[in-house]
C-alpha cells in the first residue's frame, strides 16, 4: 500500500504527484478495510491511513469499528505530538488500545477505558551472551551504539561534553552499528553497517551500551529497541531514564 521510496521520489517532483499518490493509496486502503468484516479480530498499528484529507477525523478506523467486533489499535510512539485531535479521535473506534510503556498507558488511559500494556517482545535465541567483562585496557572504554544516522548525530550532540571530559582520562572507542559512519574528535569510531550475522557478536565486544535522548514527550513515548538488544546480550548500559521497557523497573 505504502512505498516510502516511491513517495519520496514523487514528493521531490511536485506536490500534485504526492496528492495523486495518496489518493490512490487511500482508495486501495478503503477496499482493504472493508475486508476486516471477514475477521473476528483486527490489530491496527497506529492508524489505517496517516494523511486524511480532513486530518482530524479517522474515516477508515470508524469503518473498521463498524465492520469488526474486536478492533485493537496499538501504539509504541507518542504519535499525538503530530496530530493530537486525530489520535484522540482514532482511539474512539477501538475496542482495546495496546501500548508499550507506562507513559503511553497514562496518556491513553485518560481517553479510553480499555488500555493494556503490550510490551515489545524479542527472540533471545539470536543473541550472543557477553562473558568477559574485563576492560581490554584500564585506560580504554569501548562503547556500543546502534541506530539511524539522525539518531546517532543527536546522541553525539547530547553527549559531546561528556565525551570531551572522559577523553581527558580514557581512550574512547565506539562500535557504531548504523547505515552511515560518523566522526567525533574525542571518540574513535569503529563503524559497521547492520548485518544480522554479525550484529549480536559486535555488541559483546563493547564494554557498555549507550542510549541517550532528550527528555521530551516524543522520547518518553518510545520504547528503545537498542536497550533491549544490550540487555539481551548481557551488555551493561547507560541510558536516559525514559523510553524504556516497563520490565526494566
Amino acid at each position: 500500500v505504502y512505498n516510502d521510496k516511491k513517495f519520496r521520489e514523487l514528493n521531490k517532483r511536485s506536490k500534485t504527484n504526492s496528492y495523486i499518490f495518496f489518493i490512490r493509496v487511500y482508495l486501495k486502503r478503503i477496499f482493504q478495510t472493508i475486508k476486516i468484516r471477514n475477521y473476528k479480530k483486527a490489530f491496527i498499528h497506529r492508524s489505517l491511513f496517516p494523511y486524511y484529507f480532513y486530518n482530524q477525523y479517522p474515516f477508515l478506523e470508524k469503518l473498521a469499528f463498524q465492520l469488526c467486533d474486536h478492533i485493537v489499535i496499538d501504539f509504541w510512539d507518542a504519535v499525538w505530538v503530530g496530530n493530537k485531535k486525530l489520535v484522540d479521535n482514532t482511539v474512539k473506534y477501538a475496542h482495546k488500545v495496546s501500548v508499550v510503556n507506562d507513559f503511553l498507558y497514562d496518556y491513553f488511559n485518560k481517553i479510553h477505558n480499555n488500555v493494556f500494556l503490550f510490551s515489545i517482545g524479542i527472540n533471545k535465541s539470536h543473541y550472543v551472551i557477553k562473558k568477559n567483562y574485563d576492560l581490554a585496557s584500564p585506560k580504554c572504554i569501548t562503547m556500543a551504539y546502534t541506530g539511524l544516522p539522525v539518531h546517532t548525530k543527536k546522541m553525539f550532540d547530547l553527549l559531546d561534553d561528556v565525551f570531551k571530559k572522559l577523553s581527558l582520562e580514557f581512550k574512547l572507542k565506539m562500535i557504531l552499528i548504523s547505515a552511515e559512519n560518523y566522526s567525533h574528535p574525542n571518540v574513535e569510531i569503529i563503524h559497521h553497517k547492520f548485518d544480522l550475522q554479525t550484529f549480536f557478536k559486535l555488541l559483546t565486544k563493547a564494554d557498555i551500551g549507550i542510549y541517550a535522548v532528550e527528555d521530551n514527550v516524543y522520547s518518553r513515548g518510545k520504547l528503545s529497541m537498542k536497550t533491549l538488544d544490550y540487555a539481551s546480550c548481557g551488555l551493561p548500559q547507560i541510558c536516559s531514564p525514559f523510553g524504556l521497557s516497563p520490565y526494566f523497573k
Side-chain angles (χ1 to χ4, degrees):
V1 172
Y2 188 87
N3 186 310
D4 287 342
K5 183 178 180 180
K6 184 176 181 180
F7 169 63
R8 286 194 293 268
E9 291 173 352
L10 289 170
N11 200 40
K12 289 179 181 178
R13 298 175 193 172
S14 72
K15 292 296 182 182
T16 302
N17 287 325
S18 298
Y19 292 140
I20 294 172
F21 171 73
F22 280 122
I23 290 171
R24 292 175 60 189
V25 171
Y26 185 67
L27 292 174
K28 189 171 183 178
R29 185 62 98 182
I30 290 173
F31 290 104
Q32 290 180 328
T33 303
I34 291 173
K35 292 180 181 179
I36 284 179
R37 63 185 176 181
N38 299 321
Y39 299 90
K40 293 181 179 180
K41 298 181 180 181
F43 185 87
I44 300 169
H45 181 54
R46 293 186 181 179
S47 65
L48 287 170
F49 191 73
Y51 301 108
Y52 283 108
F53 305 103
Y54 175 49
N55 65 2
Q56 294 183 357
Y57 192 80
F59 297 97
L60 295 179
E61 286 78 4
K62 182 178 180 180
L63 175 61
F65 187 78
Q66 294 171 336
L67 295 175
C68 182
D69 294 331
H70 193 103
I71 298 290
V72 180
I73 300 183
D74 175 69
F75 296 94
W76 68 348
D77 288 291
V79 291
W80 65 84
V81 173
N83 191 335
K84 184 178 186 303
K85 190 70 174 179
L86 177 61
V87 173
D88 290 358
N89 284 334
T90 295
V91 298
K92 293 177 182 178
Y93 301 110
H95 298 95
K96 287 184 179 181
V97 174
S98 63
V99 296
V100 295
N101 65 27
D102 293 332
F103 182 76
L104 295 178
Y105 180 90
D106 291 341
Y107 178 85
F108 286 106
N109 195 45
K110 295 174 183 177
I111 57 176
H112 199 281
N113 62 7
N114 194 5
V115 182
F116 68 101
L117 280 170
F118 182 48
S119 192
I120 296 173
I122 55 175
N123 185 352
K124 291 182 65 177
S125 66
H126 296 303
Y127 290 84
V128 178
I129 305 301
K130 183 176 177 64
K131 296 179 180 179
N132 185 1
Y133 290 91
D134 296 329
L135 294 178
S137 167
K139 286 292 184 178
C140 179
I141 299 174
T142 302
M143 302 168 285
Y145 183 85
T146 173
L148 295 171
V150 62
H151 296 153
T152 299
K153 183 181 184 306
K154 289 180 179 179
M155 179 273 294
F156 273 106
D157 289 344
L158 282 170
L159 298 181
D160 185 56
D161 289 339
V162 175
F163 291 148
K164 285 179 182 177
K165 291 179 181 179
L166 283 175
S167 67
L168 298 176
E169 296 187 41
F170 300 94
K171 178 177 177 60
L172 301 179
K173 296 182 180 181
M174 178 170 287
I175 298 171
L176 174 63
I177 305 170
S178 182
E180 298 176 8
N181 201 353
Y182 194 85
S183 62
H184 190 278
N186 304 113
V187 182
E188 178 186 335
I189 306 297
I190 306 166
H191 176 244
H192 298 268
K193 290 189 176 182
F194 179 82
D195 184 337
L196 195 61
Q197 302 300 316
T198 60
F199 175 72
F200 305 108
K201 191 171 183 178
L202 283 171
L203 292 181
T204 65
K205 292 182 178 180
D207 299 311
I208 195 163
I210 301 295
Y211 167 64
V213 292
E214 292 179 300
D215 184 2
N216 53 41
V217 172
Y218 182 75
S219 295
R220 287 179 176 268
K222 294 182 69 63
L223 195 152
S224 168
M225 277 299 300
K226 60 177 65 62
T227 60
L228 296 180
D229 289 329
Y230 301 153
S232 296
C233 68
L235 179 66
Q237 51 188 300
I238 294 179
C239 303
S240 298
F242 33 79
L244 303 174
S245 168
Y247 295 106
F248 275 25
K249 293 179 180 178

